[in-house]
Amino acid sequence: TGYLFYDQGYGNTGSCESQITYLDGDNGILRHRGYPIEQLAEQSEFVETAYLVIYGELPSPEQRKRFGTMLRENAAIDTQMMRIFDGFPRGAPPMGMLTSIVSSLAAYYPHLATNNFEKDLANFDLTAAMAISKIRTIVAGIYRYRHGLPFNYPKDVPFCDNFLHLMFSEPYKEYAAIPEVTRALNLILLLHADHEQNCSTSTVRMVGSSGANLFTSLAAGICALSGPLHGGANTAVMQMLQAIHDEGDDGTRFIAAAKSGSKANRLMGFGHAVYRNYDPRARIIGHACDVVLNKLGKTDPLLDIAKRLEHSALNDEYFLSRKLYPNVDFYSGIIMRALGIPTELFTTMFAIGRSPGWIANWKEVASNPKGRIYRPRQVYVGPVKRDYVPIGKRG
Ligand code: CMC
């Protein structure tokens, strides 16, 4: 039975029904559980939006408090897990470390990761809070480890402040929370909270569809996120902007190379598999860059370069005709840099932000009584039937 057609990259294939995120790429619309991203960015904060994405409703004050408490109570990682860190070379790529350490959660908490949907869902609230909180702690741990710094224990403070403490407190000096920094971090994480059936989320669903537990499915999602066309793009954008800065160029070289059509030379932070319009998250972050830098009293030459590059691209026939606009990654690195987060950690920050979306999608798969294992077909284009030739008779 031959299949005549297939859908390259599943670009036009709906793989599931979902109630989590609405995305209209032609008109640049993004809504979580019905709430426009612009309203959430303006009025909500990461933990509340995470709750919304996972549970479907904005939390009541009581629910918000309980969720926050669970995140705080589950922030620490098992002390044995420190030994996993110790096994890595100091310069190990952060995403490589993150995938391994997150997948180890299934081994540390086997009673929550049984690979039996019914049992795993019975503990879902706890497992979800553990996942979000521990991924955040692990990312900070990776930073401390890579820089040869002692690990910090989490404190009884809100989620983002805790991250900044885990990252930047020193034995001789506690990190002092700066409201603008906390707000900007909240915004960056919130804007990444979910994004429909992107590569990593589809991966989480696919792995989950086999019956795999949440932690294992999340680790697979983090692997998918690491690629330069997905989560790795935020790092690549900063490397590109830095190179333009160092060369004293105006970006012409990168734009010309991008137009060659080679995948390796794409303009990073531009284009999107679904948006044929400005990514609404890029608009929010682009605006926030000015506000945040201003509030922190900082300037960043890379922001000026990014703006000039955007201007050039948006006036170029190649980008216009293909409807290529800045995506979420184009400006996010500039804010993270202003917060003191090193470029090498950018994609791991994306992982923290996206964790609620992955969790919500895993939950949809695990709770769907009609769900079946994800198992796409293919169009076979290899050799037709041929007969085995013994090795002595092969020319
Ligand atoms: N620079 C130059 N050309 C591009 C770019 C780009 N950034 N993006 C797409 N194109 C070209 C592409 O080669 C194709 O050209 P042609 O029609 O001549 O063959 C045309 O534009 C249409 O491409 P598409 O179908 O819109 O792109 P896609 O769905 O295959 O890929 C993408 C989407 C996001 C992987 C791609 O735009 C890209 O590689 N962008 C740069 C990497 C990036 O910024 N990724 C972050 C995405 S948003 C956050 C996330 O998901 O992690």
Side-chain angles (χ1 to χ4, degrees), residues 261-281:
S262 131
K263 251 192 196 135
N265 291 326
R266 282 187 171 171
L267 194 62
M268 285 295 150
F270 256 74
H272 196 275
V274 181
Y275 291 117
R276 295 289 170 253
N277 205 320
Y278 218 101
D279 178 339
R281 303 165 302 169

Side-chain angles (χ1 to χ4, degrees), residues 164-234:
L164 293 162
H165 152 72
L166 288 163
M167 287 279 290
F168 300 127
S169 278
E170 298 302 344
Y172 54 89
K173 195 165 183 235
E174 280 266 300
Y175 173 82
I178 304 167
E180 283 79 18
V181 170
T182 307
R183 250 198 304 279
L185 180 58
N186 252 307
L187 177 70
I188 288 290
L189 296 180
L190 181 154
L191 288 174
H192 285 87
D194 192 42
H195 209 237
E196 215 225 38
Q197 292 312 310
N198 58 85
C199 180
S200 57
T201 302
S202 293
T203 302
V204 168
R205 286 189 86 112
M206 178 166 268
V207 173
S209 80
S210 75
N213 66 81
L214 178 64
F215 296 137
T216 302
S217 305
L218 290 174
I222 297 172
C223 289
L225 185 72
S226 65
L229 299 187
H230 190 13
N234 54 16

Side-chain angles (χ1 to χ4, degrees), residues 141-160:
I142 291 171
Y143 170 74
R144 305 292 296 179
Y145 179 76
R146 279 172 56 90
H147 292 268
L149 299 165
F151 287 92
N152 291 318
Y153 285 105
K155 290 201 302 189
D156 187 17
V157 294
F159 188 88
C160 287

Side-chain angles (χ1 to χ4, degrees), residues 42-154:
E42 179 77 28
Q43 299 177 60
S44 184
E45 36 83 64
F46 174 64
V47 170
E48 183 184 68
T49 295
Y51 185 98
L52 169 72
V53 166
I54 295 172
Y55 293 105
E57 297 295 336
L58 286 167
S60 66
E62 198 51 43
Q63 289 166 328
R64 171 67 184 80
K65 194 167 165 224
R66 183 165 168 269
F67 189 50
T69 303
M70 285 184 88
L71 292 175
R72 287 178 203 205
E73 287 176 354
N74 290 288
I77 55 173
D78 192 298
T79 50
Q80 282 288 111
M81 278 177 84
M82 302 296 179
R83 300 200 181 184
I84 305 183
F85 283 80
D86 280 340
F88 284 102
R90 285 273 177 218
M95 284 300 278
M97 291 182 72
L98 189 62
T99 50
S100 311
I101 301 172
V102 170
S103 71
S104 81
L105 288 171
Y108 280 92
Y109 305 98
H111 59 295
L112 303 174
T114 64
N115 289 350
N116 171 316
F117 279 157
E118 211 172 308
K119 286 187 190 159
D120 288 355
L121 283 172
N123 291 307
F124 176 77
D125 290 352
L126 174 60
T127 318
M130 284 173 88
I132 300 176
S133 204
K134 290 186 197 302
I135 289 175
R136 180 267 325 263
T137 304
I138 293 167
V139 169
I142 291 171
Y143 170 74
R144 305 292 296 179
Y145 179 76
R146 279 172 56 90
H147 292 268
L149 299 165
F151 287 92
N152 291 318
Y153 285 105

